[in-house]
Amino acid sequence: MVSLWGSKNGDEQTNEADNTNDNDEHSQQHPRQSRDADERTRLLPPRNEGYLDPDDPAVSPYNLFSVRAVRYVCVLFLVITFLWWVLLLVSIFVSPPMMHSRGSGFFDFSFTTLTVGNLLIGLLFFSTPSKAMEVSSLIIAALLLLDMIIVLAVQRLRSEEGWVGIASVIWATVMALYNVMSDRVVAWGKQEEEERLTGRKETRRSLREWCAVLTATIIMIVMIVITIFLTATLILRSRDASLKPPGERYYVDGDKYKLHLDCVGNATVDADGTRIPTVLVEAGEYPFEDTMDDWIYNSYQNGTIGRYCYYDRPGFAWSDNAPSPHSAGMTSDALSEALARAGEEGPWVLVSAGVGSIYSRIFSSRHVRDVHGLFLIDGLHEDLLYRIASPGRGFILWGRGVISPLGYDRLFGAIFKGRTREDRVYGKSAYQAGKFIKAKLQENLVAGSLTKNEVSQARNIQTPQTPLVVVSSGIEVRRDTQWERKQEDLTKITDNLISWDVVNRAPHQVWLTFEGRAVLEKRLGELVRAKHIAA
């Protein structure tokens, strides 16, 4: 007896087998006709089942340990560079031990900023290497290598930048070369993974990748331009370093920096054997060589004075920058040290202008026996120090200092206006130099605190018998009533006022007019002779 289920299954299997045989026979008798291509026809042959689509996220150079290691090292370098950048930023305002550079400090800060930007761009566009990125990085590396050679080869630049600046430019060069190497490693890793996972190297880019390449290229071109400006400014600085200073430069403040000092004429004595005072000149807002030198030298040539000395404050002309913070009293101490090292000694008649009067008054209070006269030319009163101590002015000075290594204004002046080495070192373009800006920033930072306290103490210490001459600008006195009141108050810092003159049409720099020069030379001769006779 046959089971019902078994009979049914058997019949189905038999029928299926018969149908299969019939189909095979039909296929052999009537082969499939090929048809024309339509919208359902594949244009590409089917891919092998072992490969991935090129757009698959799994196709990534990060699969390789070597690529990941390069990225991790780049992140480490970025962290180290950023910490160094922060330290350099702080050192502009407060010099850490062993980190003072005799230059402005803005160049090493700029090189480090460039390095941070270089590494950051390398990380942001790490997975999309391109030939443009590689070539741009190579150009930056070549320019930085040239910068490194210039800094190491020129003795003056080497001494100004110090080990901090040298380390910064070397690190910037190495990091630029590392960017070139990492770009090549990622490109190699990307090709390796594409060939392994997709069967071929991918030659096309997605829209996102093209946008990334375009953005990176534009940024790198900007960085190339910045590096070119840095290099050109360094070349200009190396040219300026060949200008020899009159006089000598002396180490001061524990040999941390050098101060430029020069003396003209010979020390003389009168018939009684008393030494005639030497005029010690303190410049105002700008270097002595481009402001007061002409009329002081004319006074010497005319026989009004027999001998004079002048110096450049830290950061001015041939003098190095001092460590931060730096007050007027510290500058006066540095001048005292430089005079001692040069073998110069009083008696002195101090001549000063503008903000330089603050420095002269502090110097006078610390050398009361050697100072035989004070000559203030439109001097700044201590109560007006707030005008140079404002935070807004300080921020502007800091901003100018940060971009000063680009030297666009100095380069423009040298190329199109014929500015010379003299113009850039102490002349009409000296205010564009990073050293000068750093000196003004230091002056701004402590004008309302340390410097004001020092000059207030100097007023109490100043001997009342010291002869005093005050010459004021008529233009400034008429323009500013507060300035007029403070000029009058300056005539009372001693009890021995010889004269107070207000030169009507003279500007702040009184010596720029003929009448101003005549008054200055006349009063200077009277001051020197008065003290000489009194002595």
Side-chain angles (χ1 to χ4, degrees), residues 440-458:
K440 288 296 182 180
L441 178 60
Q442 290 177 320
E443 188 178 75
N444 165 268
L445 292 174
V446 297
S449 54
L450 294 178
T451 297
K452 187 171 184 179
N453 291 337
E454 290 166 346
V455 71
S456 298
Q457 295 170 358

Side-chain angles (χ1 to χ4, degrees), residues 8 18 63 204 251 254 262 279 293 304 331 338 347 349 407 419 442:
K8 184 177 181 179
D18 293 341
N63 295 334
R204 65 182 179 85
Y251 275 111
D262 185 28
V279 173
D293 185 44
T304 304
T331 298
V349 167
R419 297 285 189 257
Q442 290 177 320

